């Protein structure tokens, strides 16, 4: 439960940082800079945190406009999640459902999907890929 609360606190802190400086993502590691979308387009960023021992995932969605202002946020708890890839896929799904609920029509959806592979009967980390798609 402490990991879940830590994730939520971190997400809340990220939202505060984005509001303080909307053009920089707080998730920057010195090279990733958030770029605003074109006018009249909403950019959705999604992510998930997966706790394998409890088979739960917490997803987060952050929507920003072309000025970098937060247009909305969403978090969701999933139970009985099989693996990290499913958690990330569910985060993407929640981002799209959130956009529909908010009435956003023109979107850029961005998130990182973690890829796993089987090696010697064990699941191992294979890498992370940036997933970006436009709905205009």
């Amino acid at each position: 439960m402490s990991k879940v609360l830590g994730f939520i606190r971190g997400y809340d802190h990220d939202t505060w940082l984005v509001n303080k400086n909307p053009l920089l993502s707080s998730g920057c590691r010195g090279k990733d800079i958030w770029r605003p979308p074109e006018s009249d387009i909403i950019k959705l960023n999604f992510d998930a945190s997966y706790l394998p021992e409890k088979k739960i995932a917490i997803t987060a969605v952050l929507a920003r406009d072309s000025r970098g202002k937060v247009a909305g946020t969403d978090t969701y708890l999933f139970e009985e999640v099989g693996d990290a890839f499913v958690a990330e896929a569910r985060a993407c799904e929640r981002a799209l459902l959130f956009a529909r609920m908010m009435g956003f029509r023109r979107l850029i959806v961005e998130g990182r999907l973690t890829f796993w592979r089987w090696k010697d009967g064990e699941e191992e980390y294979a890498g992370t890929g940036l997933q970006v798609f436009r709905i205009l």
Side-chain angles (χ1 to χ4, degrees):
M1 185 56 114
S2 64
K3 288 184 181 180
V4 173
L5 290 174
F7 176 82
I8 292 169
R9 284 187 190 112
Y11 182 76
D12 182 55
H13 182 66
D14 284 356
T15 303
W16 176 81
L17 284 173
V18 166
N19 284 322
K20 185 175 177 184
N21 188 354
L23 295 181
L24 290 179
S25 170
S26 63
C28 292
R29 300 292 185 256
K31 61 181 177 177
D32 294 332
I33 296 178
W34 184 85
R35 305 253 188 254
E38 300 165 23
S39 183
D40 298 328
I41 295 177
I42 296 293
K43 190 172 196 178
L44 297 175
N45 292 89
F46 66 87
D47 199 4
S49 180
Y50 174 60
L51 302 172
E53 64 278 358
K54 296 190 184 247
K55 292 191 172 243
I56 63 171
I58 300 154
T59 63
V61 180
L62 178 63
R64 292 187 271 187
D65 64 17
S66 60
R67 295 169 297 156
K69 297 291 184 189
V70 175
T73 61
D74 183 48
T75 58
Y76 199 82
L77 172 68
F78 288 98
E79 297 177 313
E80 299 303 319
V81 178
D83 58 40
F85 182 79
V86 171
E88 294 286 350
R90 298 304 301 264
C92 182
E93 174 189 44
R94 285 301 302 177
L96 295 174
L97 291 171
F98 174 72
R100 182 177 176 195
M101 179 188 73
M102 295 291 289
F104 301 145
R105 298 282 181 224
R106 300 182 71 210
L107 309 171
I108 295 175
V109 182
E110 201 174 88
R112 296 196 183 279
L113 294 177
T114 304
F115 299 98
W116 299 85
R117 65 176 169 237
W118 287 95
K119 184 175 180 183
D120 300 327
E122 296 285 324
E123 193 176 39
E124 79 172 9
Y125 176 74
T128 302
L130 180 62
Q131 195 71 17
V132 179
F133 52 96
R134 294 171 152 308
I135 302 171
L136 302 174

